[in-house]
């Protein structure tokens, strides 16, 4: 199974670092798309199917918290898990992100193993939740067991 | 400046450069003497501030060769082909991570707010011209000294 991933960061180098790290995780990657801020991310999300968003918080024009808030207000985008990858690691900021519905939080600087662990956990939960929804709609009787990527 | 602030900035810089860029950076107890400066031909200054119960402006001066090496490794291009924009962007993010990591250690409750960093190429950099109102520090790296000023 391959996942489409959107990386949102105003630094081109950091997007490259995250891309390389995601490549090292062994998680099946379909399309790996990029955006330089929250506003650009919403444009990508309007055009492409994305399975998970990896976003910075502190960005010009539209930051990660505003992006998450906007996604939560949309019936479709609210189902896409957002993982924050940021230097902002204060308790206040993390509580704010959690309240807005962030799926997980990774502090920069990060180790590839941390990204792998968190992405697998988030994607497993998202997959299980989606399967539950489909079962509830009567679309299939497929088990919502967690997958190993 | 409190010694613990200096120590935490030193630890943060070492953590960021080793974890993200596999480069060793070490805060020096004193500024190196002028005859040891061995300055790079280009430098990138990256400025970042935080505000709150404690506020400060921090300015890093990174050797151009350090920026090009990191950009080369992560963008997959030759060091000579690294654009000014890419080198500046790289060091801007490094400054953001160092001070963000520092705030995580010094201000875990998040009373201080980190600003958005800015960076630019500078020519003719000399540590002798660093802001005399600010405290100056130097870090040792395989690409030469990195310089930093801290003003509160």
């Amino acid at each position: 199974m391959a996942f489409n991933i959107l990386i949102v960061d105003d630094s081109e180098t950091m997007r490259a670092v995250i891309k390389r790290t995601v490549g090292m995780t062994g998680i099946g990657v379909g399309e790996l798309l990029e955006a330089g801020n929250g506003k650009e991310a919403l444009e990508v999300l309007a055009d492409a199917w994305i399975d998970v968003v990896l976003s910075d918080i502190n960005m010009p024009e539209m930051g990660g918290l505003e992006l998450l808030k906007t996604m939560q207000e949309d019936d479709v985008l609210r189902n896409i898990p957002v993982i924050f990858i940021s230097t902002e690691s204060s308790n206040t900021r993390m509580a704010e992100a959690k309240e807005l519905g962030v799926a997980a939080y990774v502090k920069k600087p990060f180790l590839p193993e941390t990204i792998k662990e968190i992405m697998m956990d988030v994607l497993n939960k998202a997959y299980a939740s989606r399967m539950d929804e489909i079962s509830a709609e009567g679309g299939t009787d497929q088990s919502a067991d967690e997958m190993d990527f | 400046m409190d010694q613990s602030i200096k120590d935490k900035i030193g630890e943060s810089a070492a953590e960021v450069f080793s974890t993200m860029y596999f480069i060793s950076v070490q805060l020096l107890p004193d500024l190196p003497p002028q005859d040891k400066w061995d300055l790079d031909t280009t430098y990138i200054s990256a400025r970042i501030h935080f505000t709150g119960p404690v506020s400060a402006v921090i300015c890093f001066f990174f050797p151009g060769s350090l920026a090009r090496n990191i950009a080369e490794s992560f963008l997959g291009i030759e060091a000579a082909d690294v654009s000014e924009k890419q080198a500046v962007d790289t060091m801007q993010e490094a400054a953001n991570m160092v001070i963000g990591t520092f705030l995580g250690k010094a201000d875990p409750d998040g009373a201080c707010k980190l600003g958005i960093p800015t960076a630019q190429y500078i020519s003719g950099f000399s540590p002798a011209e660093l802001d005399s109102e600010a405290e100056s520090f130097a870090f040792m790296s395989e690409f030469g000294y990195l310089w930093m000023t801290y003003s509160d």
Side-chain angles (χ1 to χ4, degrees), chain B residues 13-14 77 81 88 112 124-125 143:
Chain B
I77 50 180
D81 295 332
V88 164
C112 295
F125 167 75
F143 298 92

Side-chain angles (χ1 to χ4, degrees), chain B residues 24-102:
Chain B
S24 167
V25 160
Q26 188 188 355
L27 178 65
L28 298 172
D30 300 300
L31 293 178
Q34 196 161 351
D35 60 341
K36 304 274 185 203
W37 283 355
D38 189 22
L39 298 173
D40 206 340
T41 49
T42 56
Y43 273 80
I44 291 163
S45 72
R47 184 185 163 97
I48 186 161
H49 70 276
F50 60 86
T51 50
V54 177
S55 300
V57 178
I58 296 105
C59 198
F60 290 94
F61 299 88
F62 297 110
S65 55
L66 169 69
R68 285 189 294 277
N69 179 274
I70 295 174
E72 177 187 26
S73 301
F74 289 99
L75 299 176
I77 50 180
E78 293 292 321
D81 295 332
V82 173
S83 71
E84 195 170 302
K85 183 176 175 293
Q86 286 166 330
V88 164
D89 167 79
T90 301
M91 297 335 294
Q92 186 172 300
E93 183 60 22
N96 185 41
M97 279 194 285
V98 171
I99 300 306
T101 301
F102 159 70

Side-chain angles (χ1 to χ4, degrees), chain A residues 9-14 16-17 20 56 58-61 87-93 107-112, chain B residues 15-16 19-21 70-71 73-75 86 89-90 93 96-97 100-101 104 107-110 113-116:
Chain A
D9 199 302
D10 54 326
S11 163
E12 182 191 358
T13 313
M14 187 47 62
V17 170
R20 178 182 284 196
D56 188 14
N58 215 7
M59 294 179 288
E61 281 204 63
T87 54
E88 292 266 358
S89 59
S90 70
N91 299 338
T92 316
R93 195 51 72 95
K107 185 181 156 298
K108 290 180 194 168
F110 51 76
L111 293 168
Chain B
E15 192 181 322
V16 166
T19 309
M20 298 301 294
Y21 306 128
I70 295 174
S73 301
F74 289 99
L75 299 176
Q86 286 166 330
D89 167 79
T90 301
E93 183 60 22
N96 185 41
M97 279 194 285
T101 301
D107 174 37
D109 290 332
K113 185 165 169 43
L114 186 65
I116 291 183

Side-chain angles (χ1 to χ4, degrees), chain B residues 123-143:
Chain B
S123 55
F125 167 75
S126 168
E129 291 166 19
L130 290 175
D131 183 0
S132 58
E133 303 284 304
E135 286 200 63
S136 301
F137 305 96
F139 297 83
M140 171 70 94
S141 84
E142 63 199 88
F143 298 92

Side-chain angles (χ1 to χ4, degrees), chain A residues 10 21 30 47 55 78 89-90 100-101 108 117 128-129 139 142 145:
Chain A
D10 54 326
T21 306
D47 286 339
S55 177
R78 69 188 308 165
S89 59
S90 70
L100 284 172
K108 290 180 194 168
E117 211 173 280
S129 159
Q142 189 176 348
D145 287 347

